[in-house]
Amino acid sequence: MSNFLRVVLFGLVVIGAYAAFAAVFTPSIKPEPPPAEETVSVAAAMTQEEFARFGERLYHGKGQCALCHNAAGGRAPSLDAVAINAARRIISPDYKGGAKDAAAYLYESMTAPSAYVVPGYGAAGTSPMPGVRKEPIGLNETEMRGVIAFLQSRAGVTVTAAPPKAGEQ
Amino acid sequence: MLLLLLCISSVPVLTPSSAFAGDAVSQAGTGSAPAYMPAPRLKAEDYPKAGGVNPRLAVWFAAQMHLWFAAFVLAVPVFVLIIECVGVYTGDVRYDGLAYEFLRVSLTAYSITALTGAALLVSLVVFYPAVMSYLVSIFGSTMLLYALLFFVESGALYVYYYGWRAMTGPWKKAHVGVGLLLNAAGTSLMFIANAWVTFMMTPAGVDARGVFDGNVWHAVNNHLWNPMNLHRFIANVAYGGSIVGAYAAYMFLSSKTGEERGHYDWMGYTASIIAICGLLPLPFAGYWLTAEIYSYSQQMGINLMGGVLAWLFIIQAAVIGALFLAANYYLWCGMQRGAFAARYNGYIKYIAFVLAVSFMVWFTPHTPLLAPAEAAALGGQFHPWLAPLGLMPAKNTAVNVMIIFTFLSFLLYRRSNRAPAVKWADSGKAAQAAIFCAAIVNIVVAGVYYGYFTNTVYKVASSVIQVASTLFVIIACSVIERLIHRGAKEAGAYKWGAMPDGSQYALILIAVSFTWLMGLMGFVRSAIRQHWHVYSIMRDNSPDAFTPTVAYAARVVSIGTVVFLAIILFIFWLAQLGRRRDE
Amino acid sequence: MPRIVKFSLIIIAVYCLLKIPGVFFTRPIPASVLSVYLLFAVVATLLAMTATGEGATGFIEPIASLFADPSKRAARNIVLVIVPIAAAWIAYAALRPDDAPPPIVRSIHPAPPAAFTAYGRTIELASLTNPYRASEKENPSQFRAAVDEGAEIYFKNCFYCHGAKLDGAGHYARGLSPSPVPFRGTDTIAQLQESYVFWRVAKGGPGLPREGGPWLSAMPAWEDALTEDEAWKVVTFIYDYTGNRPRSWAK
């Protein structure tokens, strides 16, 4: 076999081996399709429970909250009991934000994450979390209220975030 | 020929400015203070239909080809200049000949780079006109600068090449100066193009709706620009070395005489040393780039390293492991050129063992693919011993150990041809051994302790300790090595050409792997933008906005690599024809 | 020793080391990882053994002579029969239709919520304790009674899946994947707090959090069938019967 053919064959084998490795040793997971751009519009009035479920879908989907707020990563504080903790947090002396009740604290944490940074998750005053009103997340007011409803129901406290009326965006 | 080349090469740079400058002005309005428009919100209908052609694939392929050729034509002058300077410094004419031989190759590649650039531009303009016009509205002025620099580069290249034989003696310094200008222009071109790419990932100088603030420096100097510049520059040096090494390997294998074999062996060695010198700092530059991605957006970072794309880093781990093994194998084979090789052959197996174990750690995934029966036997998703190896601290530890042992291979290679002459040589060697052991212990302890027994903040700190230890070993041992070999007698010259043929395939593997890996990592860099043309500013609403699977990306990259390397072979063949004619 | 034999012995040794569970790694290594490890071992050994000129020839010579040397005809024919059969068998084994379900990526111990709603109220896990645990020392007869009642509840409700010996091998266990958790041994309930076990009993598979899913748990939510008191008694029983102690953070 001529050297030229040998080298070409060797090159093809190397490339083929890498391609085969990529095909065989990685799971054939299809990445999720891009989220729908349209904001979720509310056709009919929701019950409190439906509204919390709506928030849960946003929490795992469009809002991408679970990307960081999960037990495995340790990247962001757990939100399991945030609605319980929020009430304690706003009366603690090192809280400098403007929230007066737990729901307002949750709203503030989403729109201005740096207002209060949980110790251990970034320097005070500069949270690594992006505001969820901005792109690439871009939740609207109703959607953010839905997430609050979900967080409240998840922590087991009374849900105060009011579900939208029919036709509201 | 010159004129034709200039015509071809001016296509990619002139077309954007002429075709889109008008758009930019009309968008900017006619008032004296330009008011910029927000980024357009596109719908699926806004993307031109292409009969039977997948737009994303076309752009992807053209961009990838252009990038490979651009890397090649930027890398070769860097390589040539380094070799020329070495030649001037050592007075060894072989270096000068080698540099000249390679510059010839890059001339042909230069015109093909321009052609692929034109193909990329046409595909972008045809398939993504709105995106291009938005980018031009911001970067129009840098595109003019790009065109200007392209002319500077072309001019410098021709003076550098055609003046090689003429500018000797007192003119040699001026010639090196032209080479410097050529590289400065080439590198600046790359920096400008990097600005466009990084702007799409981490936009700056625009507000949330994409309205440009008018200061182009803000847009250029975005978050990822500098890390990307550094990473690509170092990678280019390594890439140039690897391609030249592969060329030398091929010529070595087809050499008829012992003299030719010796020449190409030496050429391959010189090129591979430059490639390895570029390869060693590359993980650190990559680490910086990744850290900056995280600091810009946690989401982007998690999409990069977690989720589906995490598997891409498993593939990367395997390819980098192959690169390290090949480099070491080449050094081991190279020891046979020296007179004292037999003294060190016994150590090869231990180095191979450490490399293999590090490689396994480096590869181990955190959550492996499990068949249900295996999951049952395991009692869960994670293996109690192997899962911790899937985390970053273990990978950092492994890669640092691999680098240290590669350096050890290099040290043994250097020793294969000379014996220390100074009296205190034994204590010097003992000091080197002590430094090696201390650094390895330090790296492993730092990795294990800070990586697993403290919280996240210290994990990053541990990697600094590890990198510092590695660098310390390399610098301190090199200094000691130089001192204990002061006045050492070389046991005859290296027997260039006394290498098994297998060693040359290691050089070819390095070049092929490098090319393939560049393609794959280029994909992931682009993929973390997800469904955005300009991240968080301009959404991609085309039917191709979805992220493809890793296996699909690997297939595209593989086909691209084959096509690219085939063209490179063709260029080498052309250069050979030219050389024969000269002779 | 011929180099090729040495090479084979090294690879076999590495294979055994990785494959035999309990020798070096306590649990079997997944096949996908194992095969790549072996690949690395083969490549590294091959490279180390062929780095010198004589090494390379010493390695290739016997193989080349097997095919070129007329005196080795018998050996050659044997190799030429065995190798294709082995290759065919490997290809067949890899492509043979199989009823094993595809791998699913999931984690086994879900992170519990900080609080959950059961029995009509919000229960915080951190402050939840077993009402019978205190009586273990203070009032042993009351504790024994609770355990006995727990046993009765267990055998009326749980043992169909979790087994009469609490080993996860109940009547229905073979039909479930993943298998029901065994309570014996030191790596299931011994690693968990009682409050966690109570949460899993009360909320079952439907109560698992979305993070880290998709979940595969056939466990019913027992809050609909057992009273809170009964749930605690059964938790007390499974610890007592298997001799496990609940994990606790307090000394």
Side-chain angles (χ1 to χ4, degrees):
Chain A
M1 203 174 357
S2 81
N3 269 312
F4 177 77
L5 283 181
R6 232 183 255 185
V7 168
V8 167
L9 198 68
F10 178 75
L12 288 177
V13 166
V14 171
I15 295 168
Y18 291 149
F21 183 86
V24 175
F25 282 98
T26 61
S28 53
I29 305 172
K30 262 218 171 93
E32 279 186 31
E37 190 179 24
E38 304 76 36
T39 49
V40 189
S41 73
V42 184
M46 284 186 184
T47 65
Q48 199 65 271
E49 204 168 311
E50 281 167 348
F51 194 45
R53 268 205 298 271
F54 165 73
E56 183 176 9
R57 281 198 302 278
L58 292 168
Y59 183 89
H60 293 285
K62 185 180 176 189
Q64 304 185 27
C65 316
L67 207 58
C68 298
H69 292 281
N70 59 46
R75 224 163 247 298
S78 159
L79 298 183
D80 292 337
V82 68
I84 301 173
N85 296 340
R88 287 178 216 146
R89 205 164 278 160
I90 49 175
I91 51 171
S92 83
D94 49 327
Y95 177 73
K96 299 281 186 292
K100 294 283 177 281
D101 60 38
Y105 171 84
L106 295 178
Y107 182 81
E108 181 187 69
S109 299
M110 284 196 270
T111 52
S114 297
Y116 177 80
V117 180
V118 179
Y121 295 97
T126 50
S127 171
M129 174 170 156
V132 302
R133 193 155 33 186
K134 288 188 307 201
E135 293 292 353
I137 296 170
L139 297 187
N140 66 24
E141 296 297 316
T142 313
E143 288 169 331
M144 283 191 282
R145 228 165 54 228
V147 173
I148 294 174
F150 162 62
L151 291 175
Q152 288 175 325
S153 82
R154 183 192 201 184
V157 302
T158 320
V159 177
T160 58
K165 294 163 194 71
E168 190 180 331
Q169 273 282 301
Chain B
M1 175 63 195
L2 180 82
L3 201 68
L4 178 71
L5 188 65
L6 280 180
C7 289
I8 296 168
S9 43
S10 55
V11 170
V13 283
L14 286 185
T15 322
S17 11
S18 51
F20 285 99
D23 283 7
V25 171
S26 65
Q27 278 206 345
T30 46
S32 54
Y36 291 92
M37 303 292 283
R41 289 175 157 269
L42 301 177
K43 295 191 180 58
E45 311 85 78
D46 293 335
Y47 295 86
K49 289 274 175 300
V53 182
N54 179 337
R56 176 168 70 173
L57 195 59
V59 169
W60 184 353
F61 207 79
Q64 192 59 68
M65 282 295 148
H66 183 55
L67 187 120
W68 273 323
F69 275 106
F72 181 74
V73 296
L74 290 180
V76 169
V78 173
F79 176 83
V80 165
L81 185 67
I82 294 174
I83 295 294
E84 190 187 15
C85 290
V86 172
V88 170
Y89 179 71
T90 59
D92 190 339
V93 289
R94 283 187 303 173
Y95 288 104
D96 210 60
L98 167 62
Y100 185 64
E101 186 173 350
F102 248 85
L103 199 58
R104 185 209 313 269
V105 173
S106 88
L107 274 189
T108 325
Y110 198 66
S111 45
I112 297 188
T113 309
L115 277 176
T116 52
L120 171 61
L121 185 80
V122 168
S123 57
L124 277 171
V125 168
V126 168
F127 296 125
Y128 296 95
V131 183
M132 283 305 280
S133 70
Y134 176 65
L135 287 178
V136 170
S137 75
I138 293 171
F139 284 107
S141 54
T142 66
M143 286 167 184
L144 279 176
L145 184 64
Y146 191 89
L148 202 69
L149 277 171
F150 196 88
F151 282 114
V152 173
E153 195 197 8
S154 309
L157 180 62
Y158 284 103
V159 174
Y160 194 55
Y161 177 70
Y162 290 107
W164 198 289
R165 294 284 181 240
M167 294 166 85
T168 48
W171 285 94
K172 192 66 184 169
K173 280 209 180 86
H175 189 253
V176 172
V178 173
L180 212 57
L181 177 72
L182 166 65
N183 277 302
T187 308
S188 309
L189 279 177
M190 182 182 76
F191 285 1
I192 294 174
N194 286 352
W196 307 334
V197 173
T198 50
F199 173 82
M200 292 169 79
M201 296 176 71
T202 56
V206 289
D207 69 7
R209 291 177 308 139
V211 179
F212 181 43
D213 68 4
N215 187 337
V216 81
W217 174 247
H218 289 165
V220 168
N221 188 24
N222 60 63
H223 210 82
L224 288 188
W225 189 49
N226 276 318
M228 177 94 122
N229 287 342
L230 181 74
H231 193 274
R232 279 191 165 172
F233 181 74
I234 296 177
N236 271 351
V237 173
Y239 188 55
S242 75
I243 289 277
V244 175
Y247 171 74
Y250 176 64
M251 298 304 285
F252 177 98
L253 291 173
S254 31
S255 291
K256 301 277 188 297
T257 65
E259 193 190 345
E260 250 188 334
R261 227 171 126 87
H263 171 70
Y264 286 112
D265 186 15
W266 171 80
M267 183 200 254
Y269 167 75
T270 312
S272 66
I273 290 301
I274 290 179
I276 293 171
C277 287
L279 185 62
L280 292 187
L282 207 50
F284 307 127
Y287 200 79
W288 184 35
L289 183 61
T290 314
E292 289 297 321
I293 290 176
Y294 267 102
S295 88
Y296 177 78
S297 161
Q298 296 267 323
Q299 266 166 285
M300 202 185 237
I302 295 172
N303 283 329
L304 174 69
M305 302 297 288
V308 180
L309 293 175
W311 285 98
L312 211 130
F313 286 86
I314 295 291
I315 302 172
Q316 186 210 24
V319 179
I320 289 184
L323 281 173
F324 268 104
L325 274 182
N328 276 280
Y329 182 64
Y330 184 73
L331 286 171
W332 301 335
C333 290
M335 289 203 310
Q336 313 314 318
R337 299 184 193 117
F340 305 134
R343 278 202 307 224
Y344 300 109
N345 282 342
Y347 294 108
I348 291 176
K349 51 181 173 288
Y350 302 111
I351 299 178
F353 174 76
V354 173
L355 286 176
V357 172
S358 305
F359 196 2
M360 288 174 187
V361 172
W362 170 247
F363 161 82
T364 306
H366 184 51
T367 42
L369 276 185
L370 292 175
E374 287 175 334
L378 218 51
Q381 192 62 44
F382 301 109
H383 191 285
W385 292 101
L386 299 183
L389 299 183
L391 301 177
M392 214 50 209
K395 312 280 184 214
N396 283 338
T397 307
V399 80
N400 278 288
V401 170
M402 278 206 277
I403 290 174
I404 286 189
F405 274 82
T406 305
F407 178 68
L408 180 63
S409 291
F410 180 66
L411 223 52
L412 294 185
Y413 166 74
R414 299 288 294 169
R415 293 240 181 114
S416 70
N417 201 36
R418 44 187 195 175
V422 293
K423 282 198 200 92
W424 51 278
D426 283 339
S427 26
K429 282 183 191 169
Q432 283 181 323
I435 289 172
F436 263 100
C437 295
I440 290 165
V441 168
N442 199 22
I443 287 170
V444 173
V445 169
V448 172
Y449 176 72
Y450 287 111
Y452 297 100
F453 297 98
T454 56
N455 68 33
T456 314
V457 181
Y458 296 103
K459 278 182 190 163
V460 179
S462 79
S463 71
V464 175
I465 298 175
Q466 292 177 325
V467 172
S469 306
T470 304
L471 290 179
F472 180 72
V473 169
I474 293 177
I475 293 167
C477 286
S478 299
V479 169
I480 295 177
E481 187 73 4
R482 207 166 173 85
L483 290 178
I484 62 175
H485 285 95
R486 195 185 272 168
K489 258 198 289 195
E490 287 209 355
Y494 277 116
K495 291 181 292 239
W496 292 110
M499 291 273 271
D501 280 2
S503 62
Q504 303 303 310
Y505 286 95
L507 290 183
I508 294 168
L509 181 125
I510 290 177
V512 173
S513 307
F514 230 120
T515 310
W516 195 82
L517 193 57
M518 275 167 79
L520 192 75
M521 298 330 272
F523 159 72
V524 73
R525 186 198 50 66
S526 205
I528 53 173
R529 272 188 289 131
Q530 295 183 305
H531 51 280
W532 298 91
H533 290 307
V534 179
Y535 191 68
S536 80
I537 300 285
M538 186 175 182
R539 199 183 147 106
D540 183 351
N541 275 327
S542 67
D544 294 319
F546 66 95
T547 308
T549 62
V550 171
Y552 172 82
R555 273 202 302 279
V556 173
V557 169
S558 300
I559 293 169
T561 310
V562 171
V563 173
F564 169 72
L565 290 177
I567 300 175
I568 287 287
L569 271 181
F570 176 69
I571 292 172
F572 283 166
W573 180 72
L574 277 185
Q576 231 177 327
L577 278 188
R579 203 181 45 152
R580 277 196 205 129
R581 199 195 50 206
D582 284 0
E583 282 160 2
Chain C
M1 198 185 328
R3 283 179 168 258
I4 187 124
V5 176
K6 206 166 155 189
F7 170 77
S8 314
L9 284 180
I10 292 174
I11 298 306
I12 291 169
V14 172
Y15 179 77
C16 293
L17 195 66
L18 293 172
K19 189 71 187 175
I20 301 171
V23 173
F24 198 65
F25 299 95
T26 47
R27 303 268 171 80
I29 297 175
S32 61
V33 176
L34 183 85
S35 52
V36 177
Y37 281 1
L38 271 180
L39 180 73
F40 294 163
V42 167
V43 170
T45 316
L46 205 59
L47 292 186
M49 291 180 84
T50 60
T52 61
E54 59 269 32
T57 39
F59 204 92
I60 294 165
E61 205 102 283
I63 303 172
S65 80
L66 181 69
F67 288 96
D69 191 345
S71 67
K72 293 188 176 157
R73 197 164 158 221
R76 173 163 65 235
N77 288 343
I78 292 172
V79 169
L80 287 181
V81 169
I82 288 177
V83 169
I85 289 178
W89 173 253
I90 291 169
Y92 170 71
L95 295 174
R96 182 174 42 190
D98 192 2
D99 60 357
I104 290 168
V105 178
R106 57 184 278 276
S107 51
I108 202 81
H109 286 309
F116 61 97
T117 315
Y119 302 109
R121 65 195 172 88
T122 301
I123 302 173
E124 272 195 61
L125 245 77
S127 56
L128 182 65
T129 50
N130 184 349
Y132 296 102
R133 190 54 65 191
S135 66
E136 191 176 1
K137 291 213 179 75
E138 293 158 11
N139 191 350
S141 61
Q142 189 199 346
F143 183 75
R144 295 293 354 141
V147 168
D148 291 345
E149 279 176 58
E152 194 176 332
I153 299 159
Y154 180 87
F155 283 99
K156 279 180 180 164
N157 299 285
C158 317
F159 104 105
Y160 304 103
C161 296
H162 288 285
K165 294 176 184 165
L166 281 66
D167 53 2
H171 297 95
Y172 298 157
R174 289 179 63 87
L176 299 172
S177 172
S179 325
V181 168
F183 299 131
R184 291 163 165 264
T186 55
D187 56 351
T188 56
I189 55 171
Q191 299 295 325
L192 300 169
Q193 290 173 274
E194 280 185 303
S195 56
Y196 183 99
V197 178
F198 178 81
W199 165 64
R200 290 288 283 124
V201 171
K203 303 305 285 185
L208 288 168
R210 288 255 333 237
E211 287 91 350
W215 300 108
L216 289 173
S217 172
M219 176 103 160
W222 288 100
E223 65 167 328
D224 301 331
L226 300 179
T227 66
E228 194 176 347
D229 185 52
E230 286 170 333
W232 276 122
K233 279 175 180 158
V234 88
V235 169
T236 314
F237 164 72
I238 61 173
Y239 276 103
D240 184 76
Y241 185 84
T242 56
N244 279 320
R245 303 292 308 168
R247 188 172 188 168
S248 92
W249 300 112
K251 277 283 155 202

